[in-house]
Amino acid sequence: MMNRIGSATGRHTIAIVGGGFCGSALATRLLRSTMLAECDIVLIEREALVGRGVAYARRAYPYLLNVPAGHMSADSQRPGEFVEFARRVLPHAQAGDFLPRALYGDYLEQRLQRAAAEASSGVRLVRVHDEVVAVTPGPRLRLTLRSGAQVLANEVTLALGNAAAAPVPGLDGIPVLDPWSALKHVEPEHSVLLVGTGLTMVDVAVSLETRVRGPGRLHALSRRGLLPRAHSGSAHSATVVDTHRLLTAGSHSVRALTRAVRESVAGGGDWHAV
């Protein structure tokens, strides 16, 4: 076990806490940067794999992405990159397919590995399988890990993902489950309440019906009582979107971007495609 990282060499060190989508994508981008020299990029993730997080973890049920594969590239310069990757595993994958989330995690992991292998000689990736429990200020930021090891860094990025749901008042004695672990605890005779009727509710309901053969009764509760809107056909068609205009507007302000999006769909266009 290395007790200290980034202390003896004096090299510039950037620590990234969290190896989900944001953490791994940032590490990939830094490794490919031409502006860094003699730099360690330390990616700290408590799970064994990176590029996963809650969204793209490997699970017992093959949850699907809620965006067509053709719109899921992590590289704006290569819009078909994810589809190209997916076809190595699923030869018949199409840009309009909704593919398994875990496959996207594989894609992010592969991008990171390739970026590390192709990085300039002075830039290197250091992957740490551990959890940060404290950050102490000083001439260099000191990150203390659960194992007792420490990381000294010039900059730290927190890519912590979604926080756990807050406790629900009045449910003392009633188990409140992480939706992604529900399959482990729900039996066919159980009655289940899903708070919220968005895409996560759909995922959990479908997985329970498939894997548990349906709980005794399934309730879904929301403030508005609405279900997710299905993707229209144009969401994964050859609909022409002026991407350059949207990016230009977004570089000025959120208000300008909002105006550009509204104008793009004002003539009967589909907001999914935008």
Side-chain angles (χ1 to χ4, degrees):
M1 170 64 69
M2 183 179 295
N3 292 325
R4 182 169 291 178
I5 301 171
S7 60
T9 63
R11 288 165 56 89
H12 192 87
T13 301
I14 301 173
I16 303 173
V17 183
F21 174 85
C22 290
S24 63
L26 174 59
T28 299
R29 182 67 186 88
L30 291 174
L31 288 165
R32 292 177 173 171
S33 173
T34 59
M35 301 179 65
L36 295 179
E38 300 300 320
C39 179
D40 286 341
I41 300 165
V42 183
L43 181 60
I44 307 167
E45 167 58 41
R46 61 188 175 188
E47 302 295 336
L49 300 173
V50 300
R52 305 289 167 173
V54 173
Y56 310 122
R58 292 175 178 168
R59 304 186 187 280
Y61 184 81
Y63 297 104
L64 301 180
L65 297 167
N66 59 8
V67 175
H71 296 314
M72 286 295 293
S73 173
D75 187 343
S76 61
Q77 303 302 312
R78 297 186 60 191
E81 185 180 63
F82 175 56
V83 176
E84 294 171 8
F85 173 85
R87 284 175 177 161
R88 301 174 197 169
V89 181
L90 304 171
H92 301 294
Q94 301 297 319
D97 293 343
F98 296 88
L99 299 178
R101 293 187 187 185
L103 182 62
Y104 196 74
D106 296 340
Y107 161 67
L108 296 175
E109 169 81 20
Q110 186 264 349
R111 292 185 79 245
L112 179 64
Q113 292 177 351
R114 188 174 64 197
E118 297 174 353
S120 63
S121 58
V123 179
R124 66 182 182 183
L125 174 68
V126 180
R127 291 173 58 165
V128 179
H129 181 198
D130 211 326
E131 182 177 10
V132 176
V133 295
V135 180
T136 306
R140 303 185 83 188
L141 293 161
R142 183 186 305 272
L143 289 77
T144 302
L145 309 184
R146 188 166 297 281
S147 65
Q150 295 182 338
V151 176
L152 297 180
N154 300 88
E155 289 100 23
V156 176
T157 293
L158 301 181
L160 305 180
N162 294 326
V168 180
L171 293 184
D172 297 339
I174 299 176
V176 178
L177 305 176
D178 172 348
W180 310 116
S181 64
L183 289 176
K184 302 177 183 177
H185 304 282
V186 175
E187 300 295 337
E189 67 275 10
H190 286 170
S191 180
V192 177
L193 170 65
L194 299 175
V195 181
T197 57
L199 291 171
T200 299
M201 180 277 294
V202 175
D203 280 337
V204 174
V206 172
S207 63
L208 287 176
E209 176 63 29
T210 302
R211 304 285 295 194
V212 188
R213 296 303 175 191
R217 181 164 294 183
L218 186 64
H219 304 271
L221 172 70
S222 79
R223 289 174 291 181
R224 297 178 178 86
L226 300 175
L227 294 174
R229 295 177 59 185
H231 285 273
S232 65
S234 63
H236 47 77
S237 69
T239 301
V240 176
V241 177
D242 190 346
T243 307
H244 176 73
R245 176 170 177 260
L246 295 177
L247 292 174
T248 301
S251 67
H252 293 294
S253 69
V254 173
R255 178 173 294 180
L257 176 60
T258 303
R259 184 183 303 115
V261 170
R262 286 176 174 170
E263 291 173 355
S264 298
V265 300
D270 184 2
W271 69 267
H272 290 95
V274 177

